[in-house]
Amino acid sequence: MSEKVAVLKWVGAGAALMLVGAPLAGAQEAAVLDSVVITADQERADGPVQGYRAKRTRSATRTDTPIEEIPQSISVVPASVLDDLDSPRVERALDFAGGVARQNDFGGLTMYEYSVRGLTTSEFYKDGFSVNRGYMNPPDAASIERVEVLKGPSASLYGRGDPGGTINIVSKRPQLDSFARLDLSAGRWDRYRSALDVNTPLDEDGNMLYRMNIAVEDNKSFRDHRESERQFVAPSFSWELSPDTRLLVQAEVVRNRQTFDRGVVAPGGNLGRVSRSAFYGEPSDGPISNDNETLQAELEHDLNEAWTLRLASHYKQGRMDGYATEAASVAADDRTLLRNLRYRDYDWQDAITQLELHGRLDTGSIEHQLLIGTEYERYALSEFMLRSNNLRNIDLYNPVYGSPRPAFNPARTVDRNELVHNRALNLQDQMRLTDKLFGVVGARYDHYEQRLDNEVSGRRAEQTHEKITPRVGVLYQLLPEVGLFANASQSFKPNNGAAASGATFDPEEGMGYEAGVKLDLFDGRLGLTAAAFHLTKENVLTSDPANDGFQIAAGEVRSRGVDLQLAGQLTDAIRVIGGYAYVDAEVTRDNTLASGSRLLNVPRHSGSLLTTYEFHDGDLSGLSLGGAVNYVGDRAGQADSDFELPSYTTVDLLARYKATEKLTLGMNLNNAFDRTYYERSYSDVWVMPGEPRNLSVSLSVEL
C-alpha cells in the first residue's frame, strides 16, 4: 500500500510542478515555418531518418512525439550511420550515442551486456518488445531503421531494468514505394557479406505492402582460428484493412555459427605481452550454434479522430549449444595458461502481449496525450553446462593446439530452469501546458513472479514482487532554439538466486535525476542535447560475510556526470553525428569491493564524431568523403583489482561514389593508424583486443 501512496505523491508533485506557468494564450501568434520544420513534420517516429538527425521518436513515450518536446535525453542513431561505416552490427552505432560502453559480449555470441551512463544492463528492446531475454544474437543491421538510446531509468514504460538507460531498436517496415537494393561487401581476413532489401506493394491502392530483408555472412577474423557464419531473414507485411484499421506482421530468423572467443590474456596484469591475434581456445572445439526465431504482430484501430487502440504480440525462441575451451588462470611461471573445457546447451522462449489505448483530450487550456497500457510476459529459460574435470594447459607464447579432450566433471556445473510471469499496467500523461511548457507524468505497476529450479542442488527458489515505478519530467521552451528540461524516475530489477537462509533477495532499485538543455542551432540544421545526471542503485548483490559462498542484497553503486550528443546537416554537403560523456561511476557500498572502486569497463571520458562531406558539383559530383574519431578513456579491467585497460583513440576513413543513379561504390579504412587497443574485458584472462587496420570495399545496387 505504501508503494501506491508513494506514486500518488510523485504524480501530484509532478502535476503541481508543471501547472506553474502562464495559461495558454487566447490567440497564438502567427509563425512562419521554414522548409526544415516542414520536413520534420513529414518524418514518422518508426520511419527512415533523413541524414543523421531524427526529429521524432516513439521509444521515449510509446507515442509519436517530437524529440524537442520530450523532457529527457534521447540519442537516435539512424541506419545511415551503419551504412556509411559498412558495419553490420548495432554496437558500432552505439559508439555515437554518447555514454554507452561495451561490456561482456559472451565470447562474441551476444550483445549480453552494455552500459549506459556507467551502469551495466542486459536489457534492450526492438519495437518496444524486450529482445535480450536468453542469449539472442546481436541485432543485424539489415533490418534496423534506427537505434534509439533513452538516457536514465525507463521502467515506467518498459518495466524491469537498470537506471542508466535503455536501447530500443526500430526495425524496417514496409513502405509505399516499390524498391529493391542489393549490398555487397568484402574486407580483410576473408570477410564477405551480402544483403538484400526488397519492398513492394501487393495491390494497386497500396493497402497491402511487403518487405523482405536478407543477409548472409561468411567471416574470418584477425583473431587466429576465429570464424563465423550468419544467415538472416526478416520478412514483414502490412495491411490496411480499412481506413481505421492497420495490421503489421514481422518475423525474423537467424542462424549463427561462431567460434567462442574470450580474447587474450594479460599475464601479471600486463597487456601487450602476447599477440592481439593469439587464440587460447581449441580450434577442434568447433563453433557455437545460436539459432533464433521471432514473430510479432501489431493491430491498430482508430476508435475516432482522437483515440487509438493497439494490440500487439511478440514471440521469440532460441537455442545455443556447443563446446568451448576457456582460460581459467595463469600459473605462477607467468606463461602457462590453465583452461577448462565447457559444453553449453541453452534454450529459451519469451512471449509478450501488449494492449494500449492512446488518446488526446483537453482540460481547459491544457492539451493531454494519454497512454493506458497493459502487458503480460511469460519467459522460460533452460541452462545446462558441463565443465571438464582436468585442465587443458597451453603455453601463452607458443600455443600448441590439439591436446586430448578431457573428461567432463561427473557433476553438472549448471542445470537450471527459470520461469517468469510478469503482468504490468502503465499510465502516462504528456501535457502541453502552454505553448512553451511541456510535461510528462507516468507510472508503471509490475507484478513479477519467478521460479528457479536448480537441478544440481535440488533446490527451488521462488520470488514474487510488486513494484510501482514513477516518472516525472518538465521541459520549458525558453527560446525557439533553446529548451530547458529536468526529470526524475525510478527503476527496479529482480535479483536471481537465494541467500544462505534460502530466502530470495530484494530487487535492485534505482533512482535517476537529469537536467539539461536542448538546442536547435543553425536554423534547425543541427540538434544538440547536453545534460547532467545523477544515478543510484541499491540492493546490489555482494558477498555474505557470515556465509562464505553466498550473497546478500546489500551493495550500492552510484554514477554521475554529464553527456552531450549532436546530430545534423550543417550544409547541403556536410552532416555530423557524435557525442561526449564524462561518467564518474563507482561502488559506494560492498562487502568485498572497496568503497570508491570504479565500475568495470566504464571510462570516465569518452567521445566520438562522424562527419561526411558530399560533393554536389564539378568533376567530384557524387563523391562523399568522411571520417570517424572514437575516443575511450582508461577503464577498470577487473573487479577488486588494479588491472586497467588503457585509453585509446581510433580513426576510421570512408569514401562513397555514386557512379550511376543505381550504383554506389564504397571504401572504408578502419583503425587507419593501426592503434593497438582493448575494447572490453572481464578479467586479466578475458581481454578482447580491437581490430588492427583493415580495409573493406562495398557495392550497392538499386535493382
Side-chain angles (χ1 to χ4, degrees):
M1 195 66 172
S2 60
E3 293 272 25
K4 297 177 181 179
V5 173
V7 77
L8 289 174
K9 291 181 179 179
W10 268 78
V11 175
L17 174 64
M18 290 178 287
L19 287 171
V20 176
L24 183 66
Q28 296 183 346
E29 296 179 0
V32 179
L33 304 180
D34 58 26
S35 60
V36 174
V37 176
I38 292 173
T39 302
D41 290 342
Q42 296 173 348
E43 179 186 321
R44 288 177 51 94
D46 55 13
V49 178
Q50 297 297 318
Y52 286 164
R53 184 190 181 189
K55 298 291 187 71
R56 307 185 71 86
T57 179
R58 189 183 298 273
S59 302
T61 58
R62 290 191 179 271
T63 63
D64 191 332
T65 305
I67 292 176
E68 65 181 10
E69 297 180 5
I70 300 173
Q72 183 180 3
S73 292
I74 306 151
S75 294
V76 180
V77 184
S80 55
V81 170
L82 292 173
D83 290 342
D84 287 345
L85 296 172
D86 192 27
S87 176
R89 299 291 185 270
V90 70
E91 275 196 331
R92 194 72 178 94
L94 297 176
D95 289 341
F96 302 92
V100 181
R102 300 181 184 187
Q103 299 284 348
N104 181 13
D105 66 350
F106 203 69
L109 289 171
T110 75
M111 196 172 136
Y112 190 63
E113 291 178 334
Y114 61 93
S115 66
V116 183
R117 289 180 167 175
L119 299 184
T120 300
T121 183
S122 60
E123 300 290 338
F124 70 89
Y125 295 77
K126 193 169 187 179
D127 301 320
F129 291 102
S130 171
V131 290
N132 207 25
R133 308 278 192 248
Y135 298 84
M136 300 290 288
N137 282 292
D140 195 285
S143 68
I144 294 175
E145 194 74 80
R146 51 171 80 184
V147 181
E148 305 191 343
V149 182
L150 314 180
K151 309 292 182 65
S154 300
S156 67
L157 289 175
Y158 295 101
R160 60 192 188 275
D162 288 87
T166 300
I167 294 172
N168 183 49
I169 296 168
V170 179
S171 58
K172 294 179 179 178
R173 299 188 174 204
Q175 305 293 314
L176 286 172
D177 297 330
S178 180
F179 60 82
R181 172 177 159 177
L182 175 65
D183 294 305
L184 304 174
S185 66
R188 189 180 177 186
W189 309 299
D190 294 329
R191 291 182 170 180
Y192 303 99
R193 176 179 168 92
S194 303
L196 180 65
D197 185 359
V198 179
N199 185 94
T200 182
L202 299 179
D203 64 349
E204 294 182 356
D205 298 326
N207 293 326
M208 301 176 69
L209 308 174
Y210 177 75
R211 190 170 187 174
M212 173 71 79
N213 283 280
I214 301 173
V216 179
E217 288 184 14
D218 187 359
N219 298 323
K220 292 183 173 59
S221 168
F222 76 99
R223 304 272 302 136
D224 298 339
H225 307 289
R226 176 169 174 168
E227 301 179 359
S228 66
E229 296 179 356
R230 169 180 283 217
Q231 297 86 43
F232 174 89
V233 179
S236 57
F237 169 78
S238 67
W239 184 12
E240 189 171 328
L241 288 83
S242 74
D244 300 323
T245 308
R246 300 164 298 280
L247 174 66
L248 174 67
V249 180
Q250 298 166 288
E252 187 174 289
V253 177
V254 186
R255 296 290 181 265
N256 195 55
R257 306 288 182 272
Q258 184 168 320
T259 306
F260 193 92
D261 183 15
R262 294 289 196 181
V264 299
V265 177
N270 297 314
L271 285 166
R273 292 176 58 179
V274 302
S275 170
R276 55 184 167 178
S277 65
F279 177 70
Y280 294 115
E282 282 288 335
S284 61
D285 289 338
I288 298 283
S289 298
N290 192 358
D291 298 336
N292 308 159
E293 297 86 34
T294 304
L295 177 65
Q296 66 185 44
E298 177 182 290
L299 182 66
E300 285 189 337
H301 178 69
D302 297 331
L303 302 175
N304 52 45
E305 292 184 354
W307 292 89
T308 298
L309 190 65
R310 173 182 176 269
L311 175 64
S313 190
H314 168 101
Y315 176 80
K316 60 179 168 289
Q317 62 183 22
R319 181 179 182 187
M320 175 189 293
D321 71 293
Y323 296 87
T325 299
E326 303 175 46
S329 62
V330 179
D333 62 3
D334 258 1
R335 66 176 303 135
T336 302
L337 179 65
L338 311 183
R339 305 176 301 164
N340 286 311
L341 174 67
R342 290 181 171 92
Y343 171 74
R344 294 178 174 87
D345 186 356
Y346 300 163
D347 67 80
W348 59 93
Q349 305 86 39
D350 194 27
I352 307 170
T353 298
Q354 299 171 346
L355 179 63
E356 296 175 348
L357 179 64
H358 304 253
R360 302 184 306 274
L361 60 85
D362 297 340
T363 56
S365 62
I366 300 174
E367 301 174 12
H368 303 264
Q369 184 162 351
L370 300 177
L371 166 66
I372 304 170
T374 185
E375 180 179 278
Y376 171 74
E377 177 184 13
R378 182 189 185 276
Y379 166 61
L381 169 68
S382 175
E383 296 176 298
F384 178 83
M385 186 174 74
L386 299 173
R387 187 166 61 188
S388 60
N389 195 32
N390 300 305
L391 300 175
R392 308 178 81 177
N393 298 347
I394 195 169
D395 191 322
L396 285 173
Y397 306 104
N398 185 29
V400 177
Y401 307 108
S403 63
R405 179 172 286 180
F408 286 114
N409 191 325
R412 297 157 292 176
T413 304
V414 175
D415 188 359
R416 59 188 175 217
N417 296 288
E418 179 184 5
L419 180 63
V420 171
H421 295 274
N422 195 88
R423 301 167 179 84
L425 172 67
N426 62 295
L427 307 171
Q428 178 180 268
D429 186 5
Q430 295 171 250
M431 293 172 277
R432 180 188 289 266
L433 299 149
T434 73
D435 59 346
K436 293 185 177 182
L437 188 62
F438 304 85
V440 61
V441 174
R444 171 167 163 142
Y445 165 79
D446 280 270
H447 180 88
Y448 176 88
E449 298 175 4
Q450 182 199 48
R451 187 184 75 205
L452 189 63
D453 291 316
N454 190 329
E455 304 297 341
V456 177
S457 65
R459 299 177 66 178
R460 168 177 288 184
E462 295 181 287
Q463 59 178 319
T464 299
H465 299 290
E466 294 185 343
K467 186 65 180 177
I468 295 175
T469 47
R471 169 197 190 191
V472 60
V474 61
L475 183 146
Y476 180 71
Q477 200 70 38
L478 181 66
L479 298 170
E481 305 83 10
V482 181
L484 306 177
F485 68 93
N487 63 70
S489 52
Q490 288 185 344
S491 70
F492 92 106
K493 184 177 72 175
N495 282 307
N496 283 334
S501 65
T504 57
F505 303 111
D506 291 334
E508 291 184 353
E509 296 186 5
M511 187 73 206
Y513 303 94
E514 180 186 36
V517 57
K518 296 188 178 186
L519 303 177
D520 198 30
L521 306 174
F522 306 113
D523 297 324
R525 294 191 300 271
L526 180 71
L528 187 150
T529 301
F533 59 87
H534 182 91
L535 309 170
T536 59
K537 184 166 66 171
E538 60 185 18
N539 294 336
V540 178
L541 294 184
T542 181
S543 61
D544 186 346
N547 294 278
D548 187 37
F550 289 91
Q551 294 179 302
I552 57 175
E556 293 182 359
V557 297
R558 184 267 297 153
S559 181
R560 60 191 178 193
V562 296
D563 58 27
L564 178 149
Q565 60 234 19
L566 59 90
Q569 191 90 23
L570 296 181
T571 69
D572 290 341
I574 302 174
R575 57 184 180 180
V576 297
I577 188 171
Y580 165 79
Y582 168 77
V583 179
D584 178 16
E586 65 180 31
V587 174
T588 53
R589 186 170 69 190
D590 195 274
N591 291 328
T592 302
L593 304 176
S595 180
S597 297
R598 297 176 64 181
L599 301 186
L600 194 66
N601 287 308
V602 177
R604 280 197 173 91
H605 298 274
S606 62
S608 61
L609 182 67
L610 168 64
T611 182
T612 61
Y613 184 92
E614 182 179 359
F615 295 89
H616 292 287
D617 304 305
D619 296 338
L620 298 179
S621 178
L623 176 66
S624 296
L625 300 175
V629 179
N630 188 40
Y631 170 79
V632 178
D634 60 87
R635 295 136 289 152
Q638 180 173 322
D640 196 24
S641 168
D642 58 1
F643 175 62
E644 287 192 347
L645 302 184
S647 63
Y648 66 88
T649 302
T650 58
V651 176
D652 304 329
L653 303 176
L654 64 94
R656 295 287 182 272
Y657 179 64
K658 194 172 182 62
T660 69
E661 285 298 317
K662 293 187 176 183
L663 175 63
T664 301
L665 306 176
M667 181 179 295
N668 290 76
L669 182 64
N670 303 311
N671 193 6
F673 298 104
D674 201 22
R675 301 298 191 195
T676 297
Y677 68 99
Y678 303 89
E679 63 178 33
R680 72 182 99 215
S681 74
Y682 186 79
S683 69
D684 59 5
V685 296
W686 291 355
V687 184
M688 183 55 64
E691 291 185 346
R693 178 169 53 228
N694 63 96
L695 180 71
S696 67
V697 294
S698 60
L699 179 151
S700 180
V701 184
E702 303 290 338
L703 303 175

